[in-house]
Amino acid sequence: MDATMQALTDWLLNMLIAIDQLGNALLAGEPDETLSSRAHRMRTKDQPFWNRMARAINGFFFWQADHCKAAYESEQRRMQQPPALRG
């Protein structure tokens, strides 16, 4: 992949994550957490709404074994942060 295409791909991924985080914030969640991460975190607390949400999100990302859990673990490792801020 050439540099221009890589830059466009990176930009698109960043925009999708930003929209995801905005959606979570609009649902009274933390502004730096994705809906996927929140769905996993809340389903582990036996919250029925978030259990259904996690199932729906995982269904959307059908090619990943457990997208919500992976998103939560990524948040825990601070992978959404630029490398210089991951500490």
Side-chain angles (χ1 to χ4, degrees):
M1 180 179 304
D2 70 355
T4 302
M5 188 58 113
Q6 184 62 52
L8 181 60
T9 300
D10 291 346
W11 176 84
L12 181 59
L13 181 60
N14 287 340
M15 292 302 104
L16 292 172
I17 291 169
I19 291 166
D20 191 357
Q21 290 174 330
L22 174 62
N24 187 51
L26 291 171
L27 291 173
E30 296 295 327
D32 194 37
E33 183 178 28
T34 63
L35 277 171
S36 300
S37 173
R38 183 179 180 193
H40 175 75
R41 183 171 53 81
M42 298 306 283
R43 81 172 164 188
T44 63
K45 296 179 180 182
D46 294 325
Q47 300 226 351
F49 172 80
W50 290 103
N51 188 34
R52 290 189 302 275
M53 181 68 82
R55 282 198 314 259
I57 293 169
N58 283 336
F60 184 77
F61 291 96
F62 60 89
W63 62 92
Q64 295 179 351
D66 190 344
H67 171 80
C68 292
K69 181 179 180 185
Y72 175 78
E73 290 171 350
S74 177
E75 293 271 357
Q76 291 297 300
R77 292 188 314 272
R78 301 179 59 82
M79 296 306 292
Q80 79 280 13
Q81 299 290 330
L85 297 178
R86 291 181 194 161

